[in-house]
């Protein structure tokens, strides 16, 4: 077996550096996610220490990291609870689309993009990063919080909406026929419906197939099934994240607990690679000229996303502090926004660096804001009093 010396050296150095960054962040009680993103920015093309030999491994590991993040999040809920939450949050999802897509579309037109570029920027500002939000909820110890089901419902509804949006955007960019676009849409929606049905109605057979006393067999079965479902969902133009989440939802009882124990170390390792990869896709040299406009749009859409989370958690009867946490944790944009920019690059070349600046601002600022929102006194506008108590 040939060993790639550059790959081992680069990967080893990157992991040691990230370990140090994580230690610093945790010493201060912070999530290390922003540091991972900034490290990716420094290590990518145009950064201070590029790692070209490790690029292919990081790209593959990043996709696995996102899948594992959503798998373990799905373990926290039952299908009945989740279906009820999805039905409750359809109005929240509509508000999410209106408040967050419109600023992107308007900014696109103001920046001189054509309608296809404006449509792409609407999607970029609309969708939160499932991977970053999932990791933040875990890092900040909010899995059991009352606002968390509202946040997860919004994330899954956004991903399902992407199953409609992405084929439409792709058709607009390449000028696809109506028939082909309709077929792609129908395939994506059918894939989501099948996955939802399996997580609700085939839960017991799935649990029996996966349950085994052999630890190696158990790990292989869980990981294999998750990657198969995520890959099939992605191939059908639905989201791999939704597929992985629904696999987690289908596991129950002792099996869910065994999965959590077996998968957590893998999730932590590959999710780190996922955040690193987002930074690696961005060339920092392209960011400087468009930073002011990107920062202005980021500020506007951070506020609109906070308003949506505040409203959604309110529908679940969450108190105002929890509603504020729900809003701020949704601020980060990430992997999907990068994908949308890449998809529209042919029709709007100027969109890619702008989207990169926008994503890196919110991917770094979002975790800091939600961390602060969980510790600061409830502001007066959110129902707090002047002495910091909640009204």
């Amino acid at each position: 077996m040939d060993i790639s010396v550059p790959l081992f050296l680069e990967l080893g150095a990157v992991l040691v550096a990230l370990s140090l960054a994580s230690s610093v962040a945790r010493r201060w009680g912070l999530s290390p996610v922003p540091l991972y993103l900034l490290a990716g920015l420094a290590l990518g093309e145009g950064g201070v220490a590029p790692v070209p030999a490790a690029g292919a491994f990081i790209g593959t590991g990043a996709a696995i990291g996102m899948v594992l993040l959503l798998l373990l999040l799905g373990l926290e809920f039952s299908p009945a609870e989740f279906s009820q939450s999805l039905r409750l949050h359809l109005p929240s999802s509509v508000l999410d689309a209106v408040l967050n897509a419109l600023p992107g579309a308007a900014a696109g037109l103001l920046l001189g993009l054509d309608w296809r570029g404006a449509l792409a920027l609407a999607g970029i500002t609309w969708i939160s990063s499932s991977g970053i939000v999932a990791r933040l909820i875990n890092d900040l110890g909010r899995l059991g919080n009352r606002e968390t089901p509202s946040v997860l419902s919004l994330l899954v509804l956004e991903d399902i909406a992407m199953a409609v949006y992405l084929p439409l955007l792709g058709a607009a960019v390449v000028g696809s026929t109506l028939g082909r676009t309709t077929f792609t849409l129908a395939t994506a929606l059918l894939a989501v419906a099948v996955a939802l049905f399996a997580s609700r109605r085939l839960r017991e057979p799935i649990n029996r197939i996966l349950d085994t006393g052999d630890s190696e067999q158990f790990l292989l079965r869980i990981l294999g099934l998750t990657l198969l479902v995520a890959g099939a969902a992605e191939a059908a133009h639905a989201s791999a994240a939704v597929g992985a989440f629904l696999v987690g939802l289908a596991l129950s009882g002792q099996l869910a607990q065994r999965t959590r124990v077996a998968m957590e170390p893998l999730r932590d390792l590959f999710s780190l690679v996922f955040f690193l990869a987002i930074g690696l896709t961005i060339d920092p040299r392209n960011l400087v000229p468009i930073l002011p406009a990107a920062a202005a749009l980021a500020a506007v859409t951070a506020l609109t996303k906070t308003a949506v989370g505040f409203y959604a958690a309110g529908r679940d009867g969450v108190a105002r502090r929890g509603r504020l946490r729900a809003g701020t944790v949704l601020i980060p944009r990430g992997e999907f926004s990068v994908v949308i920019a890449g998809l529209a690059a042919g029709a709007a070349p100027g969109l890619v660096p702008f989207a990169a600046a926008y994503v890196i601002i919110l991917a770094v600022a979002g975790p800091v804001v939600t961390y602060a929102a969980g510790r600061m006194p409830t502001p007066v506008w959110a129902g707090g009093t002047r002495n910091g108590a909640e009204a």
Side-chain angles (χ1 to χ4, degrees):
M1 177 185 295
D2 292 331
I3 294 178
S4 171
V5 174
L7 170 64
F8 276 33
L9 290 176
E10 289 183 5
L11 206 52
V14 167
L15 292 178
V16 169
L18 292 181
S19 168
L20 294 173
S22 175
S23 297
V24 171
R26 293 189 189 285
R27 180 179 293 272
W28 290 92
L30 296 168
S31 167
V33 169
L35 294 179
Y36 295 159
L37 292 164
L38 291 174
L41 203 62
L43 298 172
E45 185 179 352
V48 295
V51 287
F57 175 86
I58 291 173
T60 304
I64 296 174
M66 185 184 69
V67 164
L68 294 181
L69 278 167
L70 271 296
L71 168 70
L72 267 75
L73 215 50
L75 294 175
E76 304 298 326
F77 301 90
S78 72
E81 291 169 339
F82 192 67
S83 296
Q84 181 183 5
S85 188
L86 281 184
R87 285 195 295 273
L88 178 67
H89 286 296
L90 278 175
S92 312
S93 181
V94 172
L95 184 70
D96 184 23
V98 172
L99 285 188
N100 291 292
L102 284 181
L109 296 175
L110 287 173
L111 290 167
L113 302 176
D114 68 5
W115 68 272
R116 294 170 300 178
L119 179 64
L121 193 50
I124 288 167
T125 56
W126 174 9
I127 186 160
S128 298
S129 168
S130 302
I132 296 177
V133 175
R135 178 63 187 263
L136 281 175
I137 289 172
N138 184 70
D139 280 354
L140 298 176
R142 297 181 184 175
L143 274 174
N145 284 16
R146 285 198 63 205
E147 75 273 12
T148 298
S150 319
V151 172
L152 296 182
S153 297
L154 277 173
L155 288 179
V156 172
L157 284 167
E158 282 183 356
D159 280 358
I160 292 173
M162 284 295 113
V164 175
Y165 168 83
L166 286 177
L168 287 177
L169 177 65
V173 169
V174 303
S176 180
T177 64
L178 178 62
R180 185 170 180 77
T181 304
T182 304
F183 176 76
T184 305
L185 272 177
T187 305
L189 293 176
L190 179 64
V192 172
V194 168
L196 278 170
F197 174 80
S199 69
R200 282 183 62 84
R201 303 295 182 186
L202 303 179
R203 202 176 194 200
E204 290 305 318
I206 291 172
N207 278 256
R208 279 199 300 273
I209 291 170
L210 295 175
D211 200 7
T212 169
D214 186 287
S215 299
E216 181 181 316
Q217 275 295 317
F218 179 72
L219 183 64
L220 290 173
R221 291 180 189 185
I222 294 289
L223 188 57
L225 176 69
T226 305
L227 294 178
L228 277 173
V229 173
E234 194 71 26
H237 304 285
S239 165
V242 169
F245 184 85
L246 293 176
V247 170
L249 211 61
L251 305 179
S252 60
Q254 186 63 27
L255 194 68
Q257 179 58 25
R258 282 188 69 192
T259 303
R260 199 174 289 113
V261 172
M263 289 294 179
E264 275 184 351
L266 285 177
R267 177 204 59 186
D268 292 345
L269 174 62
F270 283 103
S271 66
L272 177 158
V273 176
F274 166 74
F275 299 118
L276 187 69
I278 291 180
L280 283 176
T281 60
I282 299 169
D283 188 335
R285 294 171 298 188
N286 296 330
L287 302 183
V288 177
I290 34 77
L291 268 181
L297 183 60
V300 170
T301 53
L303 291 174
T304 52
K305 190 62 87 171
T306 300
V308 169
F310 196 86
Y311 170 78
R315 289 180 65 82
D316 275 324
V318 177
R320 286 164 175 155
R321 179 184 287 276
R323 295 166 69 180
L324 187 61
R325 288 194 301 264
T328 53
V329 82
L330 287 165
I331 289 175
R333 272 64 160 191
E335 66 283 0
F336 252 128
S337 298
V338 174
V339 168
I340 293 170
L343 186 63
L351 181 64
V352 175
F354 184 83
Y358 174 81
V359 166
I360 203 71
I361 289 169
L362 287 182
V364 172
V368 176
V369 171
T370 195
Y371 171 81
R375 284 160 176 74
M376 63 188 291
T378 307
V380 173
W381 63 265
T385 61
R386 294 197 180 279
N387 64 4
E390 193 167 296

